[in-house]
Amino acid sequence: MNRDIKEVLRSAKPGDLIEILHGLYQHWAIYIGGNDVVHLGPQDKDYGSSSNLMIILNIDNAKVKRQNIWEVVGSCKCRINNLLDQKYRPRDRHIIVAEAQRLVGRECPYGVFTQNCEHFVTGLRYNKPESQQVERAAAVMGGIILTGIGLIILSHLLRSLLTDDNRNRGRN
């Protein structure tokens, strides 16, 4: 029995964002009341503990689904995470839920970096589709690229200094 789900169901209000922790990535859903959530997931697969990163990376289109929270979370950890409440004013809960329910069954373009499940739920809650996990990944990649460029420049500088030093020794 997943105690995280029980805790979420005790304190969640319709329109809250539910973060589902899958290790390397998070899946996101919007709580609409009862035991139900709406989320963006692979079209022909139920999203649950059997889902993995390769499924998410290999889809071009996703489907908006209404499912029981127990099915979506499976054995993963989950929590309420209204992550952008300090940045944006959330829309009224009844509007969030009504729009989420209206979208159920709709097929949507999917892109890990541009139109993922986090973009979907933040768009519903704040009317601003954002993905902090994409922003964090971009920052890490930017840091790796800058470090690589720095190492290349440093290696060229050291090579130049060593070459100049060898030339100077040859003249003496």
Side-chain angles (χ1 to χ4, degrees):
M1 179 90 33
N2 191 327
R3 287 182 291 173
D4 290 341
I5 297 173
K6 284 184 172 184
E7 181 60 35
V8 164
L9 290 173
R10 265 196 292 277
S11 50
K13 297 178 197 85
D16 280 343
L17 303 183
I18 308 300
E19 179 182 21
I20 303 153
L21 308 170
H22 282 277
L24 293 175
Y25 69 100
Q26 297 84 40
H27 183 62
W28 292 84
I30 199 137
Y31 180 69
I32 61 168
N35 287 332
D36 289 345
V37 294
V38 171
H39 66 111
L40 186 65
Q43 289 186 55
D44 50 354
K45 298 210 187 265
D46 282 339
Y47 204 97
S49 57
S50 64
S51 297
N52 65 46
L53 187 56
M54 292 314 296
I55 292 171
I56 301 304
L57 291 174
N58 289 323
I59 60 172
D60 295 324
N61 290 305
K63 189 172 186 177
V64 179
K65 300 177 182 182
R66 177 181 180 158
Q67 283 184 277
N68 183 290
I69 191 170
W70 295 90
E71 295 170 0
V72 178
V73 174
S75 62
C76 296
K77 293 189 177 293
C78 68
R79 64 183 178 162
I80 299 167
N81 186 358
N82 297 318
L83 69 165
L84 299 175
D85 278 9
Q86 304 303 326
K87 187 174 180 181
Y88 304 118
R89 184 171 180 256
R91 298 163 72 197
D92 290 337
R93 292 183 183 279
H94 72 279
I95 292 171
I96 296 167
V97 171
E99 187 171 339
Q101 289 178 324
R102 182 179 57 79
L103 294 171
V104 170
R106 183 173 290 179
E107 186 177 310
C108 302
Y110 183 89
V112 170
F113 301 109
T114 57
Q115 295 172 302
N116 66 34
C117 57
E118 187 178 358
H119 289 105
F120 174 74
V121 298
T122 56
L124 285 168
R125 183 167 174 88
Y126 308 105
N127 209 25
K128 307 260 188 220
E130 289 188 18
S131 175
Q132 288 192 343
Q133 64 185 324
V134 168
E135 290 172 15
R136 284 190 304 271
V140 168
M141 292 304 294
I144 290 170
I145 290 168
L146 287 175
T147 300
I149 291 170
L151 289 172
I152 291 168
I153 291 170
L154 182 61
S155 71
H156 284 291
L157 179 62
L158 287 172
R159 186 178 306 142
S160 175
L161 289 171
L162 290 172
T163 302
D164 287 347
D165 189 46
N166 285 339
R167 284 187 194 145
N168 288 336
R169 283 186 190 161
R171 290 183 192 154
N172 293 334

